[in-house]
Amino acid sequence: MNERPAGFVESSRVPSRPREDPHLMSDVAPCEPTSGVSAAGSSGVSAAGSSGVSAAATLLADFGPDDPARQLPTFPVEAPTSRIVAALESVDPASLSPIDLVEWVAGWHQVMAATTAHQARGVHVAATRPGPMGDFVTDEVACALVVTRQSVEQLVGRAAGLDASPELAEALVLGLVDARKVDVILLGTLTLPESSRRCVIAQATDVARGLTAPQLRRHVRRLVLVADPASAEQREKEARKERGVDLRWGHDSMAWVSAYLPAAAAMSAMTVIEALAAAAGAHDDRTVDQRRADAFADVFASILDADQAPDGTPLARRHGQRASVNVTVAASTLLDLDDLPGDLAGYGPIPAHVAREIAQDATWSRILTEPASGAFVERSRGTYRPGADLTRTVITRDVTCTYPGCRQSAARSELDHIEPFNHADPRAGGATSEDNLHAVCKHHHQAKTAKLWNARRDEATGNTIWTSPLGITYARSPVPVYAGEAVYGPHRPQRAPQERPPF
C-alpha cells in the first residue's frame, strides 16, 4: 500500500489548480532514473501585464475561489508573478476575512519563492560568464548587496543547483517549494552521482510541499542512502572534510558557537558536557540547559586562563600576542561613574556591567579615541618592541578587515601594505608604517595582491577606498573602537538615581 513520507501534511486548502499528489512507498525503493519527469523550466512562466486592474478577484478570476464570499484563491496558483503581486497589492489585509488573510500571506510566500528563482538565474549568469570579475564575482555582488561573501556563495551554490535541476527550479517559480527547502534538497544530494542525484531531486521535489524543512532533510537523507548505498563510505569521508566550527552573534550579549562534526565525535562532546553538567550539586538552581552551557564555556575559559591546551601544549600566538579576549571600555565606566556600553572585540557593543565583569581580572592598556566619533587615535606603547607595537596599533585601529562588509576580526587578519612594499628598493615606497598598513583577511588580501581589487586610504577621512574589477568604488569608513558619550548624543544611557558613598 502506498503511503506518504512520515510527517507529510495533508491540508483542506485545495490548490485552485489541483496538482496530482505524489505517492512514495514508506519503504523507499532504490532510485531509478526515469524518463517520465518533464519540466517546463522557469522560462515557461511568462509575465503578463495587469496595469489598470486593482481587484484581486478580477486579476485572479481564472483561479477561483468558488465561494463568492472569498476574495483570494488558494495559493499557490500558476500565474505570472507580476499578476499575483498586483492582485495582492490591490487589497488591504486588514479588510480580509481570516481565511483570505491566510491566503494573502501564502500568496506573498509564493511571490518570495518566485523572486528567489529569478534572482538565481541572474546570479548563475554572473557566476559563469567570463569577465573582469574573474574568481571574485562573489565579492563584487556582496558589495552591491551589502551582504557577506558567504551569503553570496550560498546564492551561487543554489543558482548552480537550480540550473541543473529544471523541475526544482520550476517548483520554486510556482511556489511549490521555498528557498529553504530548495537548499535542503540541493545540499542533501550534493554527494550523489549526477544520474542518481537527478532522480532523488525529482522525488524530493514531489513531496517537499507537504513536509517542513527538517522533515524534508530527514527524508532526503533516507533517499540518498537508498539511492547509492555503495558509496556511503566515500560520502562520509568527503563530508568529514567539511567539519568546522562557527560563531554567530546573538542579542543581549549572547552568541552561538556551533560545531559541524562527525556524528560520533559530536556525541562524545555532548556526553562529556552532560557529565560535567551532572556534577552540579543537588541545590544548584540552574536549569539543565544552563548547566550544560556553563560547563561548555568553563572548559575553554580554563584553557584560556592557563594559556595551554589540556595536554600542556602552549597556545599558539597570533601576531606575537597570546590568545585573549579583548574589551574596550571607558575609564569612567570602569570606575562606575557612568554606564556607557563597552565593546567586545569580535562581537560588538556590550552593556557596562558585562564590560566591568570582563575587565576585573584583565591586563589594561590605554587607548586614546577621537571624542566625536570614537575613532582610534593612539594606543599606549608600554614596553612592547616597535614591531609588536605597530601590529597592535593597526589591529586596534582597524577592528576588522578593511574590505567593505567583511567582519573578520583584525586580530585574525593579515597586515598588508596599502602601497605595496618595494622589495627591490624599500626606500622607493610602500613603507611599513601605521599610515600604510591595514588589516585584511586572507581572501581579500589575495584579491588585492592579484590586482583584481585595489585599495587606498583617504587621509582626510580615514576611509579605505576599494575599487572593484568593474571600476566601482566602495568606501569602508573607520570602525569606532569605542562608542563614547559624544557618539550617543541625546541617546546617552541614563543611570538610575543612586546615592554615592561618602568617600
Side-chain angles (χ1 to χ4, degrees):
M1 178 179 177
N2 291 340
E3 297 179 358
R4 303 289 188 190
F8 189 93
V9 176
E10 288 284 7
S11 172
S12 61
R13 291 178 60 252
V14 180
S16 301
R17 284 284 180 86
R19 291 177 157 274
E20 182 178 350
D21 291 333
H23 295 268
L24 291 183
M25 295 290 290
S26 57
D27 293 325
V28 183
C31 186
E32 296 288 345
T34 62
S35 58
V37 177
S38 62
S42 57
S43 60
V45 180
S46 60
S50 55
S51 59
V53 183
S54 60
T58 302
L59 284 165
L60 299 176
D62 295 342
F63 304 94
D66 296 331
D67 185 350
R70 292 272 303 279
Q71 296 187 52
L72 294 173
T74 301
F75 290 94
V77 297
E78 292 188 39
T81 305
S82 59
R83 189 173 168 189
I84 297 173
V85 170
L88 296 174
E89 287 185 336
S90 71
V91 295
D92 179 0
S95 68
L96 295 175
S97 66
I99 189 168
D100 274 329
L101 185 56
V102 170
E103 294 306 335
W104 192 83
V105 173
W108 282 114
H109 193 69
Q110 178 178 352
V111 171
M112 292 168 60
T115 54
T116 297
H118 294 311
Q119 182 194 49
R121 294 174 62 193
V123 169
H124 185 67
V125 172
T128 56
R129 174 188 290 171
M133 294 181 286
D135 294 333
F136 293 91
V137 61
T138 54
D139 299 278
E140 185 82 50
V141 176
C143 282
L145 301 183
V146 196
V147 298
T148 64
R149 178 167 54 89
Q150 289 75 14
S151 297
V152 177
E153 287 175 346
Q154 183 179 6
L155 293 179
V156 170
R158 179 191 298 156
L162 289 172
D163 182 72
S165 309
E167 70 280 0
L168 183 57
E170 184 185 16
L172 183 60
V173 168
L174 297 177
L176 300 177
V177 296
D178 57 22
R180 187 180 180 193
K181 291 182 181 180
V182 166
D183 292 342
V184 166
I185 293 172
L186 292 177
L187 293 175
T189 58
L190 201 56
T191 57
L192 285 174
E194 192 57 36
S195 58
S196 298
R197 190 187 188 203
R198 286 196 299 269
C199 182
V200 171
I201 287 177
Q203 288 187 347
T205 301
D206 283 343
V207 299
R209 70 174 183 81
L211 300 175
T212 65
Q215 290 173 325
L216 181 61
R217 182 177 292 109
R218 183 182 293 270
H219 185 66
V220 169
R221 191 184 310 147
R222 188 181 189 195
L223 290 174
V224 168
L225 288 174
V226 172
D228 192 18
S231 62
E233 181 178 354
Q234 181 60 34
R235 294 200 305 271
E236 187 274 336
K237 291 180 179 179
E238 292 299 318
R240 186 184 293 259
K241 296 178 182 178
E242 302 300 320
R243 62 191 183 276
V245 177
D246 182 50
L247 171 65
R248 292 185 296 119
W249 302 336
H251 299 294
D252 302 319
S253 303
M254 301 295 286
W256 288 270
V257 175
S258 60
Y260 182 57
L261 300 168
M267 290 308 302
S268 296
M270 198 63 192
T271 300
V272 172
I273 291 173
E274 293 276 10
L276 292 173
H283 301 291
D284 194 317
D285 60 357
R286 294 174 298 170
T287 66
V288 172
D289 281 337
Q290 289 171 344
R291 293 200 303 270
R292 289 171 181 156
D294 292 344
F296 177 83
D298 289 345
V299 168
F300 299 100
S302 61
I303 293 174
L304 191 62
D305 291 342
D307 194 29
Q308 61 182 24
D311 64 358
T313 303
L315 297 183
R317 263 52 175 168
R318 186 182 293 272
H319 299 301
Q321 305 172 47
R322 65 166 289 177
S324 61
V325 174
N326 299 308
V327 62
T328 305
V329 61
S332 57
T333 305
L334 284 178
L335 296 174
D336 203 18
L337 299 178
D338 57 45
D339 284 330
L340 292 173
D343 191 275
L344 180 63
Y347 177 86
I350 54 175
H353 74 277
V354 176
R356 294 189 195 103
E357 290 175 4
I358 298 173
Q360 280 180 355
D361 301 318
T363 299
W364 296 4
S365 176
R366 177 175 59 85
I367 297 175
L368 299 181
T369 61
E370 205 281 320
S373 66
F376 172 86
V377 174
E378 181 184 3
R379 177 171 183 150
S380 60
R381 293 179 177 270
T383 58
Y384 298 108
R385 56 189 171 84
D389 179 59
L390 179 58
T391 297
R392 285 177 176 269
T393 296
V394 174
I395 290 174
T396 304
R397 179 198 67 200
D398 289 345
V399 184
T400 67
C401 168
T402 61
Y403 183 87
C406 185
R407 57 190 177 92
Q408 177 80 281
S409 70
R412 298 179 57 200
S413 300
E414 301 174 348
L415 295 190
D416 170 58
H417 292 78
I418 296 176
E419 180 185 349
F421 181 75
N422 191 323
H423 293 273
D425 185 4
R427 295 172 297 179
T432 303
S433 64
E434 179 183 338
D435 291 338
N436 193 48
L437 288 175
H438 66 155
V440 282
C441 69
K442 188 176 186 64
H443 174 81
H444 293 123
H445 193 175
Q446 291 174 339
K448 179 176 174 292
T449 301
K451 303 296 184 183
L452 291 172
W453 284 79
N454 295 295
R456 63 181 178 84
R457 177 176 288 123
D458 185 322
E459 295 182 3
T461 63
N463 291 349
T464 305
I465 313 296
W466 288 78
T467 303
S468 80
L470 298 182
I472 302 173
T473 60
Y474 299 92
R476 185 268 201 185
S477 60
V479 177
V481 299
Y482 166 67
E485 182 174 353
V487 175
Y488 286 95
H491 304 290
R492 181 185 188 277
Q494 300 297 317
R495 305 194 74 180
Q498 55 182 330
E499 292 187 5
R500 288 288 179 186
F503 54 80

